[in-house]
Coordinates of all heavy atoms in Angstrom, one line a residue:
M1 N 158.6 142.5 72.7 CA 160.0 142.0 72.6 C 160.1 141.2 71.3 O 159.2 140.3 71.1 CB 160.3 141.2 73.8 CG 161.8 141.1 74.1 SD 162.2 139.8 75.2 CE 160.9 139.8 76.4
K2 N 161.1 141.4 70.6 CA 161.3 140.6 69.3 C 161.8 139.2 69.7 O 162.5 139.1 70.7 CB 162.2 141.3 68.4 CG 161.7 142.6 67.8 CD 162.2 142.9 66.4 CE 161.5 144.1 65.8 NZ 162.2 145.3 66.3
L3 N 161.5 138.3 68.8 CA 161.9 136.9 69.1 C 163.4 136.8 69.2 O 163.8 136.1 70.1 CB 161.3 136.0 68.0 CG 161.6 134.5 68.2 CD1 161.0 134.0 69.5 CD2 161.1 133.7 67.0
L4 N 164.1 137.5 68.4 CA 165.6 137.4 68.5 C 166.1 137.9 69.8 O 167.0 137.2 70.5 CB 166.2 138.1 67.4 CG 166.4 137.3 66.1 CD1 167.0 138.2 65.0 CD2 167.2 136.1 66.3
N5 N 165.6 139.0 70.3 CA 165.9 139.5 71.6 C 165.6 138.5 72.7 O 166.4 138.2 73.6 CB 165.2 140.8 72.0 CG 165.5 141.9 71.0 OD1 166.5 141.8 70.3 ND2 164.7 142.9 71.0
F6 N 164.4 137.9 72.5 CA 163.9 137.0 73.5 C 164.8 135.8 73.6 O 165.2 135.3 74.6 CB 162.5 136.5 73.1 CG 161.9 135.5 74.0 CD1 161.3 135.9 75.1 CD2 161.9 134.2 73.6 CE1 160.7 134.9 76.0 CE2 161.4 133.2 74.4 CZ 160.8 133.6 75.6
V7 N 165.2 135.3 72.4 CA 166.0 134.1 72.3 C 167.4 134.4 72.9 O 168.0 133.5 73.6 CB 166.2 133.6 70.9 CG1 167.3 132.5 70.7 CG2 164.8 133.0 70.4
S8 N 167.9 135.6 72.7 CA 169.3 135.9 73.2 C 169.2 136.1 74.7 O 170.2 136.0 75.4 CB 169.9 137.0 72.5 OG 169.1 138.2 72.6
Q9 N 168.0 136.5 75.2 CA 167.9 136.7 76.6 C 167.8 135.4 77.4 O 168.2 135.3 78.5 CB 166.6 137.5 76.9 CG 166.5 138.2 78.3 CD 165.3 139.0 78.5 OE1 164.6 139.4 77.5 NE2 164.9 139.2 79.7
Y10 N 167.3 134.4 76.7 CA 167.2 133.1 77.3 C 167.9 132.1 76.4 O 167.3 131.3 75.7 CB 165.7 132.6 77.5 CG 165.0 133.6 78.4 CD1 164.1 134.5 77.8 CD2 165.2 133.6 79.7 CE1 163.4 135.4 78.6 CE2 164.6 134.6 80.5 CZ 163.7 135.4 80.0 OH 163.0 136.3 80.7
P11 N 169.3 132.1 76.5 CA 170.0 131.3 75.5 C 170.1 129.8 75.7 O 170.5 129.1 74.8 CB 171.4 132.0 75.6 CG 171.5 132.4 77.0 CD 170.1 132.9 77.4
D12 N 169.7 129.4 76.9 CA 169.8 128.0 77.1 C 168.8 127.5 78.1 O 168.0 128.3 78.7 CB 171.2 127.6 77.6 CG 171.6 128.5 78.8 OD1 170.7 129.0 79.5 OD2 172.8 128.7 79.0
E13 N 168.8 126.2 78.4 CA 167.8 125.6 79.3 C 167.9 126.2 80.7 O 166.9 126.4 81.3 CB 168.0 124.1 79.4 CG 167.3 123.3 78.3 CD 165.8 123.4 78.5 OE1 165.2 122.6 79.4 OE2 165.1 124.1 77.8
A14 N 169.1 126.3 81.2 CA 169.3 126.8 82.5 C 168.7 128.2 82.7 O 168.0 128.4 83.8 CB 170.8 126.9 82.9
S15 N 168.8 129.1 81.8 CA 168.3 130.4 82.0 C 166.8 130.4 81.9 O 166.1 131.1 82.6 CB 168.8 131.4 80.9 OG 168.6 130.9 79.6
C16 N 166.2 129.5 81.1 CA 164.8 129.3 81.0 C 164.2 128.7 82.2 O 163.2 129.2 82.7 CB 164.4 128.4 79.8 SG 164.7 129.2 78.2
R17 N 164.9 127.7 82.8 CA 164.4 127.1 84.0 C 164.4 128.1 85.2 O 163.5 128.2 86.0 CB 165.2 125.9 84.3 CG 164.7 124.6 83.7 CD 165.3 123.4 84.5 NE 166.7 123.4 84.4 CZ 167.4 122.6 83.5 NH1 166.7 121.9 82.6 NH2 168.7 122.7 83.5
A18 N 165.5 128.9 85.2 CA 165.6 129.8 86.3 C 164.5 130.9 86.2 O 163.9 131.2 87.2 CB 167.0 130.5 86.2
K19 N 164.2 131.3 85.0 CA 163.2 132.3 84.8 C 161.8 131.7 85.2 O 160.9 132.3 85.8 CB 163.2 132.8 83.4 CG 162.2 133.8 83.0 CD 162.5 135.1 83.7 CE 161.4 136.1 83.7 NZ 161.6 137.3 84.5
F20 N 161.6 130.5 84.8 CA 160.4 129.8 85.0 C 160.1 129.6 86.5 O 159.0 129.8 87.0 CB 160.3 128.4 84.3 CG 158.9 127.8 84.4 CD1 157.8 128.4 83.8 CD2 158.7 126.7 85.2 CE1 156.6 127.8 83.9 CE2 157.5 126.1 85.3 CZ 156.4 126.7 84.6
K21 N 161.2 129.3 87.2 CA 161.1 129.1 88.7 C 160.7 130.5 89.3 O 159.9 130.5 90.2 CB 162.4 128.6 89.3 CG 162.3 128.4 90.8 CD 163.6 128.0 91.4 CE 163.4 127.9 92.9 NZ 163.2 129.1 93.6
E22 N 161.4 131.5 88.9 CA 161.1 132.8 89.4 C 159.6 133.2 89.2 O 158.9 133.7 90.1 CB 161.9 133.8 88.6 CG 162.0 135.2 89.1 CD 162.8 136.1 88.1 OE1 164.0 135.8 87.8 OE2 162.2 137.1 87.7
Y23 N 159.1 132.8 88.0 CA 157.7 133.0 87.7 C 156.8 132.2 88.7 O 155.8 132.7 89.2 CB 157.4 132.6 86.3 CG 156.0 132.5 85.9 CD1 155.3 133.7 85.6 CD2 155.3 131.3 85.8 CE1 153.9 133.6 85.3 CE2 154.0 131.2 85.4 CZ 153.3 132.4 85.2 OH 152.0 132.3 84.9
R24 N 157.1 131.0 88.9 CA 156.3 130.1 89.8 C 156.4 130.6 91.2 O 155.4 130.6 91.9 CB 156.8 128.7 89.7 CG 156.4 128.0 88.4 CD 156.1 126.5 88.7 NE 154.9 126.3 89.5 CZ 154.5 125.1 89.9 NH1 155.3 124.0 89.6 NH2 153.5 125.0 90.6
D25 N 157.5 131.1 91.6 CA 157.7 131.6 93.0 C 156.8 132.8 93.1 O 156.2 133.0 94.2 CB 159.1 132.0 93.3 CG 160.0 130.7 93.4 OD1 159.4 129.6 93.6 OD2 161.2 130.8 93.4
K26 N 156.7 133.6 92.1 CA 155.9 134.9 92.1 C 154.4 134.5 92.2 O 153.7 135.1 92.9 CB 156.3 135.7 90.9 CG 156.1 137.2 91.2 CD 156.3 138.0 89.9 CE 157.8 138.2 89.6 NZ 158.0 139.0 88.3
Q27 N 154.1 133.5 91.4 CA 152.7 133.1 91.4 C 152.3 132.4 92.7 O 151.1 132.4 93.1 CB 152.4 132.1 90.3 CG 152.7 132.6 88.9 CD 151.5 133.4 88.4 OE1 150.4 132.9 88.4 NE2 151.8 134.7 88.1
G28 N 153.2 131.8 93.4 CA 153.0 131.1 94.6 C 152.8 129.6 94.3 O 151.9 129.2 93.5
V29 N 153.6 128.8 94.9 CA 153.5 127.4 94.7 C 152.6 126.8 95.7 O 152.7 127.0 96.9 CB 154.9 126.7 94.8 CG1 154.9 125.2 94.5 CG2 155.8 127.4 93.7
I30 N 151.6 126.0 95.3 CA 150.7 125.3 96.2 C 150.9 123.8 96.1 O 151.0 123.2 95.1 CB 149.3 125.7 95.9 CG1 149.1 127.2 96.1 CG2 148.3 124.9 96.7 CD1 147.8 127.8 95.6
C31 N 151.0 123.2 97.3 CA 151.2 121.8 97.4 C 149.9 121.1 96.9 O 148.9 121.3 97.5 CB 151.6 121.4 98.8 SG 151.7 119.6 99.0
P32 N 150.1 120.2 95.9 CA 148.9 119.4 95.5 C 148.4 118.4 96.5 O 147.3 117.9 96.4 CB 149.4 118.7 94.2 CG 150.8 118.7 94.3 CD 151.3 119.8 95.2
H33 N 149.3 118.1 97.5 CA 148.9 117.1 98.5 C 148.1 117.7 99.7 O 147.1 117.1 100.1 CB 150.2 116.4 99.0 CG 151.0 115.8 97.8 ND1 150.6 114.6 97.2 CD2 152.1 116.2 97.2 CE1 151.4 114.3 96.2 NE2 152.4 115.3 96.2
C34 N 148.7 118.8 100.2 CA 148.0 119.3 101.4 C 147.6 120.8 101.2 O 147.0 121.3 102.2 CB 149.0 119.2 102.6 SG 150.4 120.3 102.4
G35 N 147.9 121.4 100.1 CA 147.5 122.7 99.9 C 148.4 123.8 100.5 O 148.1 125.0 100.5
G36 N 149.5 123.3 101.1 CA 150.4 124.2 101.8 C 151.1 125.1 100.8 O 151.3 124.7 99.7
K37 N 151.5 126.3 101.2 CA 152.1 127.2 100.3 C 153.6 127.4 100.5 O 154.3 127.9 99.7 CB 151.4 128.6 100.5 CG 150.1 128.6 99.8 CD 149.4 130.0 100.0 CE 148.0 129.9 99.4 NZ 147.2 131.1 99.8
A38 N 154.1 126.9 101.7 CA 155.5 127.0 102.0 C 156.3 125.8 101.4 O 155.9 124.7 101.6 CB 155.7 127.1 103.5
H39 N 157.3 126.1 100.7 CA 158.1 125.0 100.1 C 159.6 125.3 100.2 O 160.0 126.4 100.2 CB 157.8 124.9 98.6 CG 156.4 124.4 98.3 ND1 155.3 125.2 98.3 CD2 156.0 123.1 98.0 CE1 154.2 124.4 98.1 NE2 154.6 123.2 97.9
Y40 N 160.3 124.2 100.3 CA 161.8 124.3 100.1 C 162.0 124.0 98.6 O 161.3 123.3 97.9 CB 162.5 123.2 100.9 CG 162.3 123.3 102.3 CD1 161.5 122.4 103.0 CD2 162.9 124.3 103.1 CE1 161.3 122.4 104.4 CE2 162.7 124.4 104.4 CZ 162.0 123.5 105.1 OH 161.8 123.5 106.4
W41 N 163.1 124.6 98.1 CA 163.5 124.4 96.7 C 164.7 123.4 96.7 O 165.7 123.7 97.3 CB 163.9 125.7 96.0 CG 164.5 125.5 94.7 CD1 165.7 125.8 94.3 CD2 163.8 124.9 93.5 NE1 165.9 125.5 92.9 CE2 164.7 125.0 92.4 CE3 162.5 124.4 93.3 CZ2 164.4 124.5 91.2 CZ3 162.2 123.9 92.0 CH2 163.2 124.0 91.0
K42 N 164.5 122.2 96.1 CA 165.5 121.2 96.1 C 166.3 121.4 94.7 O 165.8 120.9 93.7 CB 165.0 119.8 96.1 CG 164.2 119.5 97.4 CD 165.2 119.3 98.5 CE 164.5 119.2 99.9 NZ 165.5 119.1 101.0
K43 N 167.4 122.1 94.8 CA 168.0 122.5 93.6 C 168.6 121.3 92.8 O 168.5 121.3 91.6 CB 169.2 123.5 93.9 CG 169.6 124.3 92.7 CD 170.7 125.3 93.1 CE 171.1 126.1 91.9 NZ 172.2 127.0 92.1
D44 N 169.1 120.3 93.5 CA 169.7 119.2 92.8 C 168.6 118.4 92.0 O 168.9 118.0 90.9 CB 170.4 118.3 93.8 CG 169.5 117.9 95.0 OD1 168.6 118.7 95.3 OD2 169.8 116.8 95.5
K45 N 167.4 118.3 92.5 CA 166.4 117.5 91.8 C 165.4 118.4 91.1 O 164.5 118.0 90.4 CB 165.6 116.7 92.8 CG 166.5 115.7 93.5 CD 165.7 114.4 93.9 CE 166.6 113.3 94.4 NZ 167.6 113.6 95.4
E46 N 165.6 119.7 91.3 CA 164.6 120.7 90.7 C 163.2 120.4 91.1 O 162.3 120.4 90.2 CB 164.8 120.8 89.2 CG 166.2 121.2 88.8 CD 166.3 122.0 87.5 OE1 165.7 121.4 86.6 OE2 166.9 123.1 87.5
N47 N 163.0 120.2 92.4 CA 161.7 119.9 92.9 C 161.4 120.9 94.0 O 162.3 121.3 94.7 CB 161.6 118.5 93.5 CG 161.5 117.4 92.5 OD1 161.0 117.7 91.4 ND2 161.9 116.2 92.8
Y48 N 160.1 121.2 94.2 CA 159.6 121.8 95.4 C 159.3 120.8 96.4 O 158.6 119.8 96.1 CB 158.4 122.7 95.1 CG 158.7 123.9 94.3 CD1 158.3 123.9 92.9 CD2 159.2 125.0 94.8 CE1 158.6 125.1 92.2 CE2 159.4 126.2 94.1 CZ 159.1 126.2 92.7 OH 159.3 127.3 92.0
E49 N 159.7 121.0 97.7 CA 159.3 120.1 98.7 C 158.4 120.9 99.7 O 158.8 121.9 100.3 CB 160.5 119.6 99.4 CG 160.2 118.5 100.5 CD 161.5 118.0 101.1 OE1 162.3 117.4 100.4 OE2 161.6 118.2 102.3
G50 N 157.2 120.4 99.9 CA 156.3 121.0 100.8 C 156.8 121.0 102.3 O 157.3 120.0 102.8
K51 N 156.8 122.2 102.9 CA 157.4 122.3 104.3 C 156.5 121.5 105.2 O 156.9 121.0 106.2 CB 157.5 123.8 104.7 CG 158.7 124.4 104.1 CD 158.9 125.8 104.7 CE 160.1 126.5 104.0 NZ 160.3 127.9 104.4
A52 N 155.2 121.5 104.9 CA 154.2 120.9 105.8 C 154.3 119.4 105.7 O 154.3 118.7 106.7 CB 152.8 121.4 105.6
C53 N 154.2 118.8 104.5 CA 154.1 117.4 104.4 C 155.3 116.7 103.8 O 155.4 115.5 103.8 CB 152.9 117.1 103.5 SG 153.1 117.6 101.8
G54 N 156.3 117.5 103.3 CA 157.5 116.9 102.8 C 157.3 116.2 101.4 O 158.3 115.6 100.9
K55 N 156.2 116.3 100.8 CA 155.9 115.8 99.5 C 156.5 116.7 98.4 O 156.6 117.9 98.6 CB 154.4 115.6 99.2 CG 153.8 114.6 100.1 CD 153.4 113.4 99.4 CE 152.9 112.2 100.2 NZ 151.6 112.4 100.9
R56 N 157.0 116.1 97.3 CA 157.6 116.9 96.3 C 156.8 117.0 95.1 O 156.0 116.2 94.7 CB 159.0 116.2 96.0 CG 159.9 116.3 97.1 CD 161.2 115.7 96.7 NE 162.1 115.7 97.9 CZ 163.3 115.2 97.9 NH1 163.8 114.6 96.8 NH2 164.1 115.3 99.0
Q57 N 157.0 118.1 94.4 CA 156.5 118.3 93.1 C 157.5 118.9 92.2 O 158.4 119.7 92.6 CB 155.2 119.2 93.1 CG 155.5 120.6 93.6 CD 154.2 121.5 93.5 OE1 153.7 121.6 92.5 NE2 153.9 122.1 94.6
S58 N 157.5 118.6 90.9 CA 158.5 119.1 90.0 C 158.2 120.5 89.6 O 157.1 121.1 89.9 CB 158.5 118.3 88.7 OG 157.3 118.6 87.9
L59 N 159.2 121.2 89.0 CA 159.0 122.6 88.6 C 157.9 122.7 87.6 O 157.2 123.7 87.5 CB 160.3 123.0 88.0 CG 160.5 124.5 87.6 CD1 160.2 125.4 88.7 CD2 161.9 124.7 87.1
R60 N 157.7 121.6 86.8 CA 156.6 121.7 85.8 C 155.2 121.3 86.3 O 154.3 121.5 85.6 CB 157.0 120.7 84.7 CG 158.2 121.0 83.9 CD 158.6 119.8 83.0 NE 159.8 120.0 82.4 CZ 160.0 120.0 81.0 NH1 158.9 119.7 80.3 NH2 161.1 120.2 80.5
A61 N 155.2 120.8 87.5 CA 153.9 120.3 88.0 C 152.8 121.4 88.0 O 153.1 122.5 88.4 CB 154.0 119.7 89.4
N62 N 151.6 121.1 87.7 CA 150.5 122.0 87.7 C 150.7 123.2 86.8 O 150.1 124.2 87.0 CB 150.2 122.5 89.1 CG 149.9 121.3 90.0 OD1 149.1 120.4 89.7 ND2 150.5 121.3 91.2
T63 N 151.5 123.0 85.7 CA 151.6 124.1 84.8 C 151.3 123.5 83.4 O 151.1 122.3 83.3 CB 153.1 124.7 84.7 OG1 153.9 123.7 84.2 CG2 153.6 125.0 86.1
V64 N 151.4 124.4 82.4 CA 151.1 123.9 81.0 C 152.1 122.9 80.6 O 151.9 122.1 79.7 CB 151.1 125.1 80.1 CG1 152.5 125.8 80.0 CG2 150.6 124.8 78.7
M65 N 153.3 122.9 81.3 CA 154.3 121.9 80.9 C 154.2 120.6 81.6 O 155.0 119.7 81.4 CB 155.7 122.5 81.3 CG 156.0 123.8 80.6 SD 157.6 124.4 81.0 CE 157.4 126.1 80.8
H66 N 153.2 120.5 82.4 CA 153.1 119.2 83.2 C 153.1 118.0 82.3 O 152.3 117.9 81.4 CB 151.8 119.3 84.0 CG 151.7 118.2 85.0 ND1 152.0 118.4 86.3 CD2 151.2 116.9 84.9 CE1 151.8 117.2 87.0 NE2 151.4 116.3 86.1
G67 N 153.9 117.1 82.7 CA 154.0 115.8 82.0 C 154.7 115.9 80.6 O 154.9 114.9 79.9
S68 N 155.2 117.1 80.3 CA 155.9 117.2 79.0 C 157.4 116.9 79.2 O 158.0 117.3 80.2 CB 155.7 118.6 78.5 OG 156.5 118.8 77.4
Q69 N 157.9 116.3 78.2 CA 159.4 116.1 78.2 C 160.1 117.1 77.3 O 161.3 117.1 77.2 CB 159.7 114.7 77.6 CG 159.1 113.5 78.4 CD 159.5 113.6 79.9 OE1 160.7 113.6 80.1 NE2 158.6 113.5 80.8
L70 N 159.3 118.0 76.8 CA 160.0 119.0 75.9 C 160.8 120.0 76.7 O 160.5 120.2 77.9 CB 158.9 119.8 75.2 CG 158.1 119.1 74.1 CD1 156.9 119.9 73.7 CD2 159.0 118.8 72.9
P71 N 161.9 120.5 76.1 CA 162.7 121.4 76.9 C 162.0 122.7 77.2 O 161.1 123.1 76.5 CB 163.8 121.7 75.9 CG 163.8 120.7 74.8 CD 162.4 120.2 74.8
F72 N 162.4 123.2 78.4 CA 161.8 124.5 78.8 C 161.9 125.6 77.7 O 161.0 126.3 77.5 CB 162.5 125.0 80.0 CG 161.9 124.4 81.3 CD1 162.5 123.3 81.8 CD2 160.9 125.1 81.9 CE1 161.9 122.7 83.0 CE2 160.4 124.5 83.1 CZ 160.9 123.4 83.6
R73 N 163.0 125.6 77.0 CA 163.2 126.6 76.0 C 162.2 126.5 74.9 O 161.8 127.6 74.4 CB 164.7 126.5 75.5 CG 165.1 127.7 74.8 CD 166.6 127.8 74.8 NE 167.0 129.0 74.2 CZ 167.6 129.1 73.0 NH1 167.8 128.0 72.3 NH2 167.9 130.2 72.4
Y74 N 161.9 125.3 74.6 CA 160.8 125.1 73.6 C 159.5 125.8 74.0 O 158.9 126.5 73.3 CB 160.6 123.6 73.3 CG 159.6 123.3 72.4 CD1 159.9 123.0 71.0 CD2 158.2 123.2 72.8 CE1 158.9 122.6 70.2 CE2 157.2 122.9 71.9 CZ 157.5 122.6 70.6 OH 156.5 122.3 69.7
W75 N 159.2 125.5 75.2 CA 157.9 126.1 75.8 C 158.0 127.6 75.9 O 157.1 128.3 75.6 CB 157.7 125.6 77.2 CG 157.1 124.2 77.1 CD1 157.8 123.0 77.3 CD2 155.8 123.8 76.9 NE1 156.9 122.0 77.2 CE2 155.7 122.4 76.9 CE3 154.6 124.6 76.6 CZ2 154.5 121.7 76.7 CZ3 153.4 123.9 76.3 CH2 153.4 122.5 76.4
F76 N 159.2 128.1 76.3 CA 159.3 129.6 76.4 C 159.1 130.2 75.0 O 158.4 131.2 74.9 CB 160.8 129.9 76.8 CG 160.8 130.1 78.3 CD1 160.4 129.2 79.2 CD2 161.3 131.3 78.8 CE1 160.4 129.4 80.6 CE2 161.4 131.6 80.1 CZ 161.0 130.6 81.0
I77 N 159.7 129.7 74.0 CA 159.5 130.3 72.7 C 158.1 130.1 72.2 O 157.5 131.1 71.7 CB 160.5 129.7 71.7 CG1 162.0 130.1 72.1 CG2 160.3 130.1 70.3 CD1 163.1 129.3 71.4
A78 N 157.5 129.0 72.4 CA 156.1 128.8 72.0 C 155.2 129.7 72.7 O 154.3 130.4 72.1 CB 155.7 127.3 72.3
I79 N 155.4 129.9 74.0 CA 154.5 130.8 74.8 C 154.7 132.2 74.4 O 153.8 133.0 74.2 CB 154.7 130.6 76.3 CG1 154.2 129.2 76.7 CG2 154.1 131.7 77.1 CD1 154.7 128.7 78.1
H80 N 156.0 132.5 74.2 CA 156.3 133.9 73.7 C 155.6 134.2 72.4 O 155.0 135.3 72.2 CB 157.8 134.1 73.6 CG 158.2 135.4 73.0 ND1 158.1 136.6 73.7 CD2 158.6 135.7 71.8 CE1 158.5 137.6 72.9 NE2 158.8 137.1 71.7
L81 N 155.7 133.3 71.5 CA 155.1 133.5 70.2 C 153.6 133.7 70.3 O 153.0 134.5 69.7 CB 155.4 132.3 69.2 CG 156.8 132.3 68.7 CD1 157.0 131.0 67.9 CD2 157.0 133.5 67.8
L82 N 152.9 132.8 71.1 CA 151.5 132.9 71.3 C 151.1 134.2 71.9 O 150.2 134.9 71.4 CB 151.0 131.8 72.3 CG 150.9 130.4 71.7 CD1 150.6 129.4 72.8 CD2 149.7 130.5 70.6
T83 N 151.8 134.7 73.0 CA 151.4 135.9 73.7 C 151.7 137.1 72.8 O 150.9 138.1 72.8 CB 152.1 136.0 75.0 OG1 153.5 135.9 74.9 CG2 151.5 135.0 76.0
S84 N 152.8 137.1 72.1 CA 153.1 138.3 71.3 C 152.2 138.3 70.1 O 151.9 139.4 69.6 CB 154.6 138.3 70.9 OG 154.9 137.1 70.1
T85 N 151.7 137.2 69.6 CA 150.8 137.2 68.5 C 149.5 137.8 69.0 O 148.8 138.6 68.3 CB 150.6 135.8 68.0 OG1 151.8 135.2 67.6 CG2 149.7 135.8 66.7
K86 N 149.0 137.4 70.2 CA 147.8 137.8 70.7 C 147.7 139.3 70.8 O 146.8 140.0 70.5 CB 147.6 137.2 72.1 CG 146.1 137.0 72.4 CD 145.9 136.5 73.8 CE 146.1 135.0 73.9 NZ 146.0 134.5 75.3
K87 N 148.9 139.9 71.3 CA 148.9 141.3 71.5 C 148.8 142.1 70.2 O 148.2 143.2 70.2 CB 150.2 141.7 72.2 CG 150.1 141.7 73.7 CD 151.4 142.0 74.3 CE 151.6 141.3 75.6 NZ 153.0 141.0 76.0
S88 N 149.3 141.6 69.1 CA 149.2 142.3 67.9 C 148.5 141.5 66.8 O 149.0 141.3 65.7 CB 150.7 142.6 67.4 OG 151.3 141.4 67.2
F89 N 147.3 141.1 67.2 CA 146.5 140.3 66.2 C 145.4 141.1 65.7 O 144.6 141.7 66.4 CB 146.0 139.0 66.9 CG 145.5 138.0 65.9 CD1 146.4 137.1 65.2 CD2 144.2 138.0 65.5 CE1 146.0 136.2 64.3 CE2 143.7 137.1 64.5 CZ 144.6 136.2 63.9
P90 N 145.2 141.2 64.4 CA 146.0 140.5 63.4 C 147.3 141.3 63.1 O 147.3 142.6 63.3 CB 145.1 140.6 62.1 CG 144.2 141.7 62.3 CD 144.0 141.9 63.8
P91 N 148.4 140.7 62.8 CA 149.6 141.4 62.5 C 149.4 142.4 61.4 O 148.7 142.2 60.5 CB 150.6 140.3 62.1 CG 150.0 139.0 62.5 CD 148.5 139.2 62.5
R92 N 150.1 143.5 61.5 CA 150.0 144.6 60.5 C 150.3 144.1 59.1 O 149.7 144.6 58.1 CB 150.8 145.8 60.9 CG 150.1 146.7 61.8 CD 150.9 147.9 62.2 NE 150.6 148.3 63.5 CZ 151.5 148.3 64.5 NH1 152.8 148.1 64.2 NH2 151.2 148.6 65.7
N93 N 151.3 143.3 59.0 CA 151.7 142.8 57.6 C 151.0 141.6 57.2 O 151.3 140.9 56.2 CB 153.2 142.7 57.6 CG 153.7 141.6 58.6 OD1 152.9 141.1 59.4 ND2 155.0 141.4 58.6
F94 N 149.9 141.2 57.9 CA 149.1 140.0 57.5 C 148.3 140.4 56.3 O 147.3 141.2 56.4 CB 148.3 139.6 58.7 CG 147.6 138.3 58.5 CD1 148.4 137.1 58.6 CD2 146.2 138.2 58.4 CE1 147.8 135.9 58.4 CE2 145.6 137.0 58.2 CZ 146.4 135.8 58.3
N95 N 148.5 139.7 55.2 CA 147.9 140.1 54.0 C 146.7 139.2 53.7 O 146.9 138.0 53.4 CB 148.9 140.0 52.8 CG 148.6 141.0 51.8 OD1 147.4 141.5 51.6 ND2 149.6 141.4 50.9
V96 N 145.5 139.8 53.7 CA 144.3 138.9 53.4 C 143.8 139.3 52.1 O 142.8 140.1 52.0 CB 143.2 139.1 54.5 CG1 142.4 137.9 54.6 CG2 143.8 139.5 55.8
S97 N 144.3 138.8 51.0 CA 143.8 139.2 49.7 C 143.3 138.0 49.0 O 143.6 136.9 49.4 CB 144.9 139.9 48.9 OG 146.1 139.1 48.9
Ligands
ZN1 ZN1 152.0 119.3 101.2

């Protein structure tokens, strides 16, 4: 996926957060307090709440974004650049002369 397509697919913070949540849900959210896997999603606070213990964790908890104040979109673009670079490394037009 080209960066421009990527950027237009995720034009704002909301779309990035929604995508990131989808990703976390797919990976499975694990409670850092009790290890429980079942969570409620608190949309207003953007937190997961453990069904077993009621403790909350943020959408960013236990991810690369943990503790970061940077916008999700920033991370999305950075991660996209890293992974797309990895796939085509070294880039074809990379001139080593
Ligand atoms: Zn828990």
Side-chain angles (χ1 to χ4, degrees):
M1 205 196 322
K2 292 215 176 81
L3 184 59
L4 274 178
N5 297 345
F6 179 83
V7 168
S8 58
Q9 199 177 338
Y10 302 105
D12 52 24
E13 270 295 281
S15 56
C16 289
R17 271 200 300 264
K19 183 68 192 171
F20 188 68
K21 182 185 176 293
E22 193 186 303
Y23 168 79
R24 285 214 68 187
D25 289 344
K26 211 184 278 176
Q27 296 283 303
V29 180
I30 293 167
C31 176
H33 304 283
C34 69
K37 286 179 182 166
H39 290 82
Y40 299 109
W41 172 243
K42 299 283 173 184
K43 203 178 177 187
D44 51 333
K45 299 207 167 54
E46 300 209 308
N47 281 337
Y48 288 104
E49 184 181 297
K51 282 187 184 176
C53 68
K55 295 249 171 72
R56 290 181 185 176
Q57 61 173 308
S58 74
L59 185 56
R60 294 170 186 238
N62 303 313
T63 70
V64 67
M65 300 183 210
H66 189 94
S68 170
Q69 298 303 310
L70 290 168
F72 274 90
R73 197 154 183 256
Y74 177 98
W75 283 100
F76 262 57
I77 292 169
I79 291 165
H80 173 73
L81 285 175
L82 279 174
T83 52
S84 60
T85 305
K86 209 186 277 174
K87 269 177 211 154
S88 59
F89 194 86
R92 271 183 217 120
N93 58 357
F94 189 71
N95 210 340
V96 211
S97 53

